[in-house]
């Protein structure tokens, strides 16, 4: 009777990939308990997602994190090519169709001519040049829509199939909500660069605060998706809970947080074009600490609005991050760790030195677009390496 019941339950669970309590017959005639157990009572059976379903969800979130990375990289290139203010309005559906006729292009160009960027910076721009920056921003916005669909449609499918546990349902809802919030925040950021500022003759640009918020929410979305996918896809190590391992785990978490803050500080560098001041290293000009570091009042204003201070802070954070990663690597060598964990630590170290080399090169060469875009992409790679190592060191739940 037990074998017959188990067989019936397996037939019922074939379509949704769920496992049930019971024992299944093997070819040898023995029995093995199904790993993903379900709650069985006289009132019926409540199923939990199987390992196969977890792997499918993990792969989906890994793809989603890749689409977010693509959006961050494309957004960085859009900022570097000063294309972000070329589309002066936002419509979820209507703007998906680009201009196709000469009349439509001229109408779009005329709308752009009404805003500060054209009046102050691009007053001699031709229609052909406008098309280039317009398509850059259009690609970024369309990619954002692809990111939203990549989260929402498969998430709804997995929910309907019953492949999400209760905790995972909450996490998926949070991720989908963050995607929608990210799109609205992007338009809120663009609006800050379209506002008329009669008292200012500076180059029109978006608010560095809104740019940092837009990048920060994208990084949170990326980290949450990547962490969840790694947790579902990578088998967890059963590491002995020693004092050394506990300290290493905490140090790895702190280092990952430092890498995140360093990447976020890059938004202020980009927003203020701070990479175009003091293009020397390791000194800033002729001194280690430039004289115009505290020119704004109150003093705290310098941290977020003074290009010199913003670049200085980014340098300090970058050097501190590399130092922390180096220490983390050598600490990991003193503890017996699995091969995959050692590989994560070594990869993180290599990424850190590659990233600092890219950063210094970008500064010394006056921020060429290809090199600056590679440096921005490197921040994502470095953050990914830090998350991978943290995931390798995570505690095994009891």
């Amino acid at each position: 009777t037990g074998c017959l019941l188990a067989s019936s339950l397996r037939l019922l669970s074939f379509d949704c990939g769920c496992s049930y309590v019971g024992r299944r017959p093997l070819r040898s005639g023995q029995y093995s308990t199904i790993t993903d157990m379900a709650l069985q009572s006289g009132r019926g059976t409540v199923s939990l997602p199987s390992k196969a379903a977890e792997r499918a969800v993990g792969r989906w979130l890994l793809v989603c994190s890749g689409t977010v990375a693509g959006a961050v990289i494309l957004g960085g290139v859009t900022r570097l090519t000063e294309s972000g203010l070329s589309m002066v309005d936002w419509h979820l559906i209507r703007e998906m169709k680009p201009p196709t006729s000469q009349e439509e292009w001229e109408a779009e160009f005329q709308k752009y001519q009404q805003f500060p960027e054209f009046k102050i910076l691009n007053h001699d721009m031709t229609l052909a040049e406008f098309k280039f920056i317009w398509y850059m921003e259009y690609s970024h916005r369309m990619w954002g829509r692809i990111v939203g669909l990549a989260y929402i449609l498969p998430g709804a499918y997995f929910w309907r199939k019953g492949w999400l546990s209760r905790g995972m349902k909450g996490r998926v809802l949070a991720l989908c909500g963050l995607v929608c919030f990210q799109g609205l925040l992007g338009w809120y950021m663009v609006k800050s660069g379209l506002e008329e500022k009669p008292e200012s003759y500076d180059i029109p640009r978006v608010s560095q605060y809104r740019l940092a918020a837009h990048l920060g929410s994208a990084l949170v979305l990326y980290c949450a998706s990547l962490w969840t996918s790694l947790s579902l896809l990578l088998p967890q190590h059963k590491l002995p809970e020693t004092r050394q391992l506990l300290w290493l785990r905490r140090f790895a978490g702190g280092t990952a947080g430092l890498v995140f803050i360093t990447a976020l500080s890059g938004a202020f560098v980009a927003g203020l074009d701070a990479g175009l001041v003091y293009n020397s290293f390791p000194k800033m000009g002729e001194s280690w600490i430039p004289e115009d570091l505290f020119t704004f009042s109150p003093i705290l204003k310098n941290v977020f609005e003074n290009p010199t201070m913003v670049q200085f802070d980014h340098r300090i954070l970058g050097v501190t991050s590399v130092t922390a990663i180096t220490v983390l690597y050598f600490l990991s060598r003193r503890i017996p760790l699995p091969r995959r964990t050692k590989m994560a630590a070594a990869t993180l170290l290599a990424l850190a030195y590659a990233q600092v080399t890219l950063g210094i090169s970008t500064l010394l060469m006056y921020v060429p677009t290809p090199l600056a875009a590679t440096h921005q992409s490197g921040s994502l790679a470095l953050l990914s390496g830090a998350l991978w190592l943290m995931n390798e060191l995570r505690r095994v739940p009891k």
Side-chain angles (χ1 to χ4, degrees):
T1 304
C3 292
L4 181 59
L5 177 60
S7 300
S8 301
L9 290 175
R10 285 201 301 276
L11 288 174
L12 290 172
S13 66
F14 178 78
D15 183 59
C16 64
C18 298
S19 301
Y20 297 85
V21 170
R23 294 186 176 274
R24 58 184 178 190
L26 302 178
R27 293 183 180 179
S28 61
Q30 298 176 342
Y31 292 87
S32 65
T33 303
I34 298 176
T35 305
D36 293 323
M37 303 181 71
L39 304 176
Q40 187 177 24
S41 66
R43 294 174 294 177
T45 303
V46 180
S47 62
L48 296 177
S50 68
K51 291 297 181 182
E54 287 184 354
R55 287 193 296 271
V57 173
R59 294 189 189 103
W60 161 55
L61 290 176
L62 187 62
V63 171
C64 286
S65 63
T67 62
V68 176
V72 172
I73 294 169
L74 186 55
V77 175
T78 302
R79 175 68 188 88
L80 289 167
T81 55
E82 297 182 339
S83 305
L85 300 178
S86 57
M87 297 179 69
V88 296
D89 49 19
W90 188 86
H91 302 284
L92 182 61
I93 303 299
R94 193 168 66 188
E95 75 178 20
M96 294 175 66
K97 178 183 176 297
T100 54
S101 64
Q102 183 71 14
E103 292 76 13
E104 290 178 349
W105 274 114
E106 290 177 356
E108 193 72 26
F109 193 25
Q110 287 175 3
K111 287 194 295 184
Y112 173 68
Q113 292 172 2
Q114 306 304 312
F115 290 87
E117 186 174 72
F118 177 83
K119 297 177 181 179
I120 298 175
L121 182 64
N122 294 332
H123 51 83
D124 57 348
M125 173 176 280
T126 65
L127 180 59
E129 292 170 334
F130 171 71
K131 287 182 179 180
F132 171 77
I133 64 171
W134 192 92
Y135 270 121
M136 285 297 304
E137 174 64 8
Y138 174 78
S139 300
H140 182 50
R141 294 193 185 190
M142 291 303 296
W143 189 267
R145 287 166 170 77
I146 292 173
V147 173
L149 293 176
Y151 275 92
I152 295 172
L153 294 183
Y157 173 80
F158 290 140
W159 190 303
R160 182 178 178 82
K161 296 287 286 185
W163 291 4
L164 303 176
S165 64
R166 180 177 299 178
M168 189 59 65
K169 286 180 179 179
R171 189 169 300 188
V172 168
L173 283 176
L175 292 175
C176 292
L178 187 55
V179 169
C180 298
F181 172 75
Q182 176 71 359
L184 295 174
L185 189 57
W187 172 240
Y188 180 66
M189 175 193 70
V190 169
K191 283 183 65 177
S192 66
L194 300 175
E195 298 170 353
E196 295 279 356
K197 301 175 183 177
E199 73 284 356
S200 175
Y201 295 95
D202 196 7
I203 296 174
R205 53 169 64 96
V206 300
S207 164
Q208 69 272 24
Y209 297 103
R210 298 186 190 184
L211 178 61
H214 187 50
L215 175 63
S217 62
L219 292 179
V220 169
L221 178 63
Y222 175 76
C223 291
S225 303
L226 183 62
W227 176 269
T228 305
S229 66
L230 292 178
S231 301
L232 293 174
L233 293 175
L234 295 181
Q236 195 167 356
H237 302 296
K238 294 183 179 180
L239 302 173
E241 290 296 326
T242 63
R243 181 177 300 178
Q244 284 182 313
L245 178 64
L246 179 62
W247 201 88
L248 181 66
R249 184 183 290 137
R250 290 175 177 174
F251 193 81
T255 301
L258 183 60
V259 171
F260 183 93
I261 294 173
T262 305
L264 192 59
S265 72
F268 288 93
V269 175
L272 294 172
D273 290 328
L276 299 176
V277 299
Y278 292 103
N279 296 92
S280 57
F281 191 87
K283 292 184 177 181
M284 298 182 72
E286 299 298 325
S287 60
W288 291 100
I289 301 178
E291 296 179 354
D292 56 342
L293 205 60
F294 298 100
T295 55
F296 291 9
S297 181
I299 293 179
L300 185 61
K301 190 176 181 181
N302 290 276
V303 178
F304 303 107
E305 299 185 18
N306 184 348
T308 300
M309 174 68 90
V310 166
Q311 189 196 119
F312 181 80
D313 292 342
H314 192 60
R315 288 181 181 222
I316 297 300
L317 286 169
V319 172
T320 306
S321 296
V322 172
T323 304
I325 290 171
T326 304
V327 173
L328 178 63
Y329 172 76
F330 283 106
L331 286 176
S332 69
R333 301 279 293 179
R334 300 172 59 182
I335 303 176
L337 296 172
R339 181 175 177 272
R340 198 179 68 204
T341 308
K342 291 181 179 179
M343 185 183 301
T347 301
L348 180 61
L349 183 70
L351 288 172
Y353 281 93
Q355 176 68 350
V356 75
T357 302
L358 284 170
I360 295 171
S361 302
T362 301
L363 182 69
L364 297 180
M365 298 177 69
Y366 290 86
V367 197
T369 298
L371 196 57
T374 306
H375 179 55
Q376 292 178 353
S377 305
S379 65
L380 274 177
L382 188 60
L383 189 57
S384 303
L387 286 173
W388 179 23
L389 181 58
M390 278 186 61
N391 197 272
E392 291 289 326
L393 296 172
R394 71 187 190 276
R395 187 188 302 273
V396 178
K398 295 182 179 180

